Amino acid sequence: MIETTTNLLDIDALRRSCSSCALHEVCLPAGIGRGDLEQLDATVRDIRVLDRGKAVFRQGEAFTALFVVRSGSLKTFVESPGGDMQVLGFHLPGELVGLDGLTNDHYRCSTEALERTSICELPYAKLQKLAGEVPALQRQLMRVISREMVAEHGHMVMMGKQQAQERLAIFLYSISGRYARLSRDPYALVLSMSRYDIANYLGLVVETVSRLFSRMEAAGVLAVSRKSVRILRPDLLVEMCGSHLANACDEKLG
Amino acid sequence: MIETTTNLLDIDALRRSCSSCALHEVCLPAGIGRGDLEQLDATVRDIRVLDRGKAVFRQGEAFTALFVVRSGSLKTFVESPGGDMQVLGFHLPGELVGLDGLTNDHYRCSTEALERTSICELPYAKLQKLAGEVPALQRQLMRVISREMVAEHGHMVMMGKQQAQERLAIFLYSISGRYARLSRDPYALVLSMSRYDIANYLGLVVETVSRLFSRMEAAGVLAVSRKSVRILRPDLLVEMCGSHLANACDEKLG
DNA sequence: CGACTGATTGAGTTTCCTCAAGAACTGTGG
DNA sequence: CCACAGTTCTTGAGGAAACTCAATCAGTCG
């Protein structure tokens, strides 16, 4: 059970404090004063570590909290009675999930870890109360929500009129941009989600995505090795995104 | 200039008061006490009437306010540098637009009237302040925002895996549900948007949408007369929506 | 009334999906 | 450490749904 030990160490390593968090600038604390930050710290109930495939919450469950990715990654998706699903988005550190639950006190989509992932839990009742007292938090919360909406718009633009290759290019470009915001190497992507998830997210089938990766590798744009994708020619990738790029890249960088 | 006269009468007819508004139950005032409602009234700066094709706000403009449709209808869309656009949604009375502007103080999409439309303007600074003081308003605001997000999820499910006919069926079903919420006849739809807009929204081309209307009319599901669409066989329409229906109809009814 | 925009219908083409098989990776147990 | 079963990914061939191009028709507005 070496795993468990590592797990515990991880939790320990992650200081339960927004002020000392590396994601400070891209997460909820952005633009919030020192004193108020302590209150936000107190609001974050705890940090959980989830193994790959484990759910943060499931569609239909009672809404209790919002969650922020601390490390790792998540996917959100909806399932229809028919059994098939639609991937709505992938979430990297600093990104918020659970907002759709506010409508009727039930989560309207499911969220799962794509790899070993740690998340901060923000009980909504507390957060709401605090936001009422701290205008800066209220503003930042709204800003984050709005960012999510803009991201969804980007997704729709992609699904609407883009060709398959443009979709994949835009997807990679978007991930790259978010890597940059996290100060990661934007040309060395690690796609924690399956090809199936990517295809579903893009409104394509697995085979098409696979073929596109191969084609883009043959064109010298990417070096693909299973989950690792290196962007060799960012200029060509941008070209492949087509004219909708401006929206798509703003999308997650907002 | 009979038009102008009508216009003035319209404005007059629309009492500037949330408490007396017919949309009371589906709009921001839902669940808010009498006293607080008066404050909300004071926040609504004014009611504007827009002719068909006129913009509420344009992508890139400074963000100042949210808007609620009072009567008529709006479309929101993004334009890419390439010149093409993606319709993000259509908005009926009681629905809110402008939320995407919160990210960076600029609207990230454009909004236009699809017909003669009256809207309430909610200056965001005031609204935010009031929401801080009135928890019920804060809650309702969040609920409305969340409803928008759920609607967008429905849109994505549709764009993701649905066939053309399912998409149109889901679209009509959604409009029908929103009519019901507004206590309108849910089987007598007036589609204020062009076929082009519908096609764009659904991720299809005009010709396909046109063919689908014809096919659904031939099948006895609809009676189509230009912008007027009568749903003759709701049962068949539901069938045509496929398995994703549950999400799609919840979509706007949440 | 005639020009214009918007909607419909038809014919041909393309992109992407479906079906099918094989290859590569994962992880589990001997 | 390796073998094997299961999953995920890749590649190929054929087909279908929706797109493109083009012409006609219907409503609208000056």
Side-chain angles (χ1 to χ4, degrees), chain B residues 195 207 210-211 214 226:
Chain B
R195 295 285 193 269
E207 295 95 322
S210 192
R211 272 182 255 273
S214 303
R226 207 166 169 74

Side-chain angles (χ1 to χ4, degrees), chain A residues 19-143:
Chain A
S19 12
S20 67
C21 178
L23 297 168
H24 193 276
E25 285 305 320
V26 291
C27 186
L28 232 39
I32 295 174
R34 252 199 119 49
D36 295 329
L37 214 48
E38 278 166 29
Q39 289 191 270
L40 184 59
D41 277 351
T43 302
V44 177
R45 191 157 72 197
D46 69 345
I47 294 169
R48 284 202 256 153
V49 176
L50 299 169
D51 276 322
R52 177 167 169 234
K54 289 285 176 293
V56 179
F57 52 79
R58 293 245 163 248
Q59 194 169 341
E61 281 179 14
F63 170 75
T64 54
L66 302 178
F67 299 88
V68 175
V69 182
R70 180 129 182 166
S71 70
S73 52
L74 303 173
K75 70 168 173 184
T76 51
F77 57 98
V78 290
E79 283 163 305
S80 52
D84 34 22
M85 71 150 186
Q86 175 64 46
V87 174
L88 299 172
F90 303 109
H91 305 272
L92 299 184
E95 296 173 2
L96 198 68
V97 299
L99 287 168
D100 58 292
L102 286 158
T103 308
N104 60 356
D105 302 324
H106 289 271
Y107 292 109
R108 302 294 290 265
C109 65
S110 300
T111 299
E112 257 182 38
L114 290 167
E115 60 195 303
R116 171 161 282 241
T117 296
S118 74
I119 55 174
C120 298
E121 179 174 353
L122 307 165
Y124 186 64
K126 279 195 204 173
L127 186 66
Q128 196 176 35
K129 187 164 173 295
L130 184 59
E133 296 160 11
V134 182
L137 177 60
Q138 181 63 47
R139 259 198 306 282
Q140 177 62 8
L141 186 59
M142 282 300 198
R143 205 170 285 134

Side-chain angles (χ1 to χ4, degrees), chain A:
Chain A
M1 294 299 150
I2 287 174
E3 266 318 281
T4 313
T5 314
T6 314
N7 188 338
L8 288 168
L9 284 172
D10 279 353
I11 296 175
D12 243 352
L14 298 164
R15 284 294 306 119
R16 188 199 134 160
S17 157
C18 291
S19 12
S20 67
C21 178
L23 297 168
H24 193 276
E25 285 305 320
V26 291
C27 186
L28 232 39
I32 295 174
R34 252 199 119 49
D36 295 329
L37 214 48
E38 278 166 29
Q39 289 191 270
L40 184 59
D41 277 351
T43 302
V44 177
R45 191 157 72 197
D46 69 345
I47 294 169
R48 284 202 256 153
V49 176
L50 299 169
D51 276 322
R52 177 167 169 234
K54 289 285 176 293
V56 179
F57 52 79
R58 293 245 163 248
Q59 194 169 341
E61 281 179 14
F63 170 75
T64 54
L66 302 178
F67 299 88
V68 175
V69 182
R70 180 129 182 166
S71 70
S73 52
L74 303 173
K75 70 168 173 184
T76 51
F77 57 98
V78 290
E79 283 163 305
S80 52
D84 34 22
M85 71 150 186
Q86 175 64 46
V87 174
L88 299 172
F90 303 109
H91 305 272
L92 299 184
E95 296 173 2
L96 198 68
V97 299
L99 287 168
D100 58 292
L102 286 158
T103 308
N104 60 356
D105 302 324
H106 289 271
Y107 292 109
R108 302 294 290 265
C109 65
S110 300
T111 299
E112 257 182 38
L114 290 167
E115 60 195 303
R116 171 161 282 241
T117 296
S118 74
I119 55 174
C120 298
E121 179 174 353
L122 307 165
Y124 186 64
K126 279 195 204 173
L127 186 66
Q128 196 176 35
K129 187 164 173 295
L130 184 59
E133 296 160 11
V134 182
L137 177 60
Q138 181 63 47
R139 259 198 306 282
Q140 177 62 8
L141 186 59
M142 282 300 198
R143 205 170 285 134
V144 170
I145 290 172
S146 176
R147 189 172 71 192
E148 289 299 310
M149 299 198 82
V150 174
E152 304 209 329
H153 291 178
H155 193 184
M156 280 191 244
V157 168
M158 199 181 59
M159 303 276 260
K161 275 214 159 312
Q162 305 304 100
Q163 302 250 304
Q165 180 169 295
E166 290 174 322
R167 296 191 197 188
L168 184 58
I170 291 169
F171 168 71
L172 294 172
Y173 193 85
S174 160
I175 300 276
S176 180
R178 285 145 84 188
Y179 267 48
R181 204 173 59 175
L182 293 169
S183 308
R184 291 189 193 170
D185 179 354
Y187 301 130
L189 313 183
V190 179
L191 304 177
S192 53
M193 67 297 287
S194 70
R195 293 285 193 269
Y196 179 84
D197 285 337
I198 296 174
N200 187 288
Y201 174 76
L202 298 176
L204 303 170
V205 294
V206 184
E207 295 94 321
T208 303
V209 169
S210 191
R211 272 183 255 273
L212 289 170
F213 270 120
S214 303
R215 202 198 298 172
M216 288 169 87
E217 187 164 32
V221 181
L222 307 175
V224 183
S225 171
R226 209 165 167 73
K227 300 216 173 286
S228 300
V229 173
R230 174 157 282 280
I231 301 174
L232 301 174
R233 294 285 304 273
D235 55 325
L236 290 179
L237 184 65
V238 167
E239 245 175 56
M240 289 175 140
C241 291
S243 64
H244 276 286
L245 179 75
N247 296 308
C249 69
D250 279 359
E251 170 189 345
K252 308 278 182 171
L253 298 173

Side-chain angles (χ1 to χ4, degrees), chain B residues 38-106:
Chain B
E38 278 167 29
Q39 288 192 269
L40 185 58
D41 277 350
T43 303
V44 177
R45 191 157 72 196
D46 69 346
I47 294 169
R48 282 201 257 155
V49 176
L50 299 168
D51 277 322
R52 176 165 171 239
K54 289 285 176 290
V56 179
F57 52 80
R58 293 244 164 250
Q59 194 168 339
E61 281 178 14
F63 169 75
T64 55
L66 301 178
F67 300 88
V68 174
V69 182
R70 180 129 183 168
S71 70
S73 52
L74 303 174
K75 71 169 174 182
T76 50
F77 57 97
V78 289
E79 283 164 306
S80 52
D84 34 23
M85 70 150 188
Q86 175 64 45
V87 174
L88 299 172
F90 303 109
H91 305 271
L92 298 184
E95 295 172 0
L96 197 69
V97 297
L99 287 167
D100 59 293
L102 287 157
T103 309
N104 61 355
D105 302 325
H106 289 270

